[in-house]
Amino acid sequence: MPLMRGMKQNKVLIVYTGGTIGMVQDENGSLHPFALDRIYDAVPQLRACSYDIDSVTLDRIIDSSNMTPDLWADIARIIEREYDHYDGFVVLHGTDTMAYTASALSFMFKNLGKPVVLTGSQLPLGMLRSDGRENIICALEIASGRLATIPEVCIFFESHLYRGNRSTKMNAENFDAFESYNYPSLAKVGINISFKEHLFMPMPTEPLQVRTNFDTRVAVLKLFPGIGEGVVRSLLGAPDLQGVVVETYGSGNAPTDDWFISALEDAISRGVIVLNVTQCKAGAVKMRQYAASCDMDRIGVVGAGDITIEAAVTKMMYLLGNYPGDKEHVKLRLSQSLRGEITE
Ligand code: ASP
């Protein structure tokens, strides 16, 4: 759907998936999604922008709690189909799972040479104090490529542009809802947009490749003091489980009890990949830094460095989906950076 058409040089495609940014309140005060035309009506400033804007809406607009790998594939296919026709892409998305979608898209796009900027808002665009107007205008400006070409999947929120697979939603109330704890923001919006080009992914020399397979037979095991053997064994024994992300303490530490190590070892011997990600927001897993991670290292648990939980889960699903039957390759890639999600 063409939204703003002129004779302008740069072109941006909006992919609208739903979320608070496009919601209205019903008579009971509950929020429901509405059509993209209303978003455009709510941001009349866009009439003055210096690039053309088109839009595509997913078949069903959703609260992002209903996001699925199939919908990630739909978003990726739209961008792949339109890749040569636009300078950049803005994905309007609910904030709740935005960091998962941004991570998933980053893995799906190999050799991405154009900006894909996800944004949304904490208050619906139709409300007077909505943060959505600022977010959408800045995301479009950045995606237009007029000022800089960022060859990455990013999240723009409340004056910061973050690498998508480094981002986390950390606040359910503030406009400043996202953070990238282990990698600096790629740009900061004030009177000017100041881009930190030295932090961007390198411009690819090969054409874009898109892979849309995900294997969802994965689980997350979050440790806490007192966690019981029954819970751990029942999760690790889930039928057909292919991979598990263990959310450990500090720099990748876990209980050293025999039952815990042997539960992990049993799972690994059945072919389950076990990935060690820290519960800490910042910092990295360092296997063997403490005795409390030596046994995990010995039995073949993979350390995931300073990856976010969102990137770890989506990366595991992506690698299992695209390299079925090659667990050694999946393990190797999990320990390395694919799209800048791990500091190496
Ligand atoms: N529940 C909403 C969603 O993620 C929240 C938001 O958009 O901020 O779709």
Side-chain angles (χ1 to χ4, degrees), residues 115-134:
V116 175
V117 185
L118 283 81
T119 197
S121 66
Q122 294 280 64
L123 276 180
L125 209 45
M127 291 174 81
L128 192 61
R129 290 194 307 104
S130 176
D131 50 329
R133 273 180 289 276
E134 187 67 19

Side-chain angles (χ1 to χ4, degrees), residues 284-295:
V285 163
K286 296 189 184 100
M287 300 285 269
R288 291 193 169 270
Q289 186 174 43
Y290 287 87
S293 63
C294 288
D295 283 340

Side-chain angles (χ1 to χ4, degrees), residues 145-159:
R146 282 187 333 110
L147 306 168
T149 301
I150 307 174
E152 299 209 22
V153 178
C154 315
I155 287 181
F156 181 82
F157 224 86
E158 181 65 8
S159 67

Side-chain angles (χ1 to χ4, degrees), residues 236-237 241 244 262-274:
L236 294 176
L241 187 70
V244 62
S262 103
L264 291 180
E265 208 167 9
D266 290 351
I268 291 169
S269 68
R270 293 196 316 273
V272 175
I273 294 175
V274 181

Side-chain angles (χ1 to χ4, degrees), residues 138-266:
C138 292
L140 283 164
E141 186 75 20
I142 290 166
S144 75
R146 282 187 333 110
L147 306 168
T149 301
I150 307 174
E152 299 209 22
V153 178
C154 315
I155 287 181
F156 181 82
F157 224 86
E158 181 65 8
S159 67
H160 283 281
L161 183 74
Y162 302 108
R163 176 169 295 163
N165 58 32
R166 293 289 195 151
S167 310
T168 296
K169 181 176 179 181
M170 51 69 186
N171 200 305
E173 188 160 325
N174 290 357
F175 286 159
D176 199 359
F178 284 83
E179 190 52 85
S180 165
Y181 292 99
N182 283 329
Y183 199 73
S185 65
L186 303 175
K188 168 97 175 71
V189 173
I191 290 177
N192 297 306
I193 304 183
S194 72
F195 292 95
K196 300 176 210 156
E197 266 101 349
H198 64 287
L199 297 173
F200 298 176
M201 292 290 285
M203 195 54 82
T205 49
E206 303 283 318
L208 177 73
Q209 279 177 38
V210 183
R211 291 203 178 106
T212 56
N213 299 330
F214 286 89
D215 186 338
T216 57
R217 296 172 298 170
V218 303
V220 177
L221 172 60
K222 183 164 189 160
L223 300 182
F224 56 91
I227 191 167
E229 180 171 0
V231 169
V232 171
R233 283 208 180 264
S234 75
L235 186 136
L236 294 176
D240 227 12
L241 187 70
Q242 300 298 307
V244 62
V245 176
V246 183
E247 278 196 67
T248 57
Y249 308 124
S251 51
N253 304 313
T256 50
D257 303 272
D258 289 345
W259 69 261
F260 181 74
I261 297 300
S262 103
L264 291 180
E265 208 167 9
D266 290 351

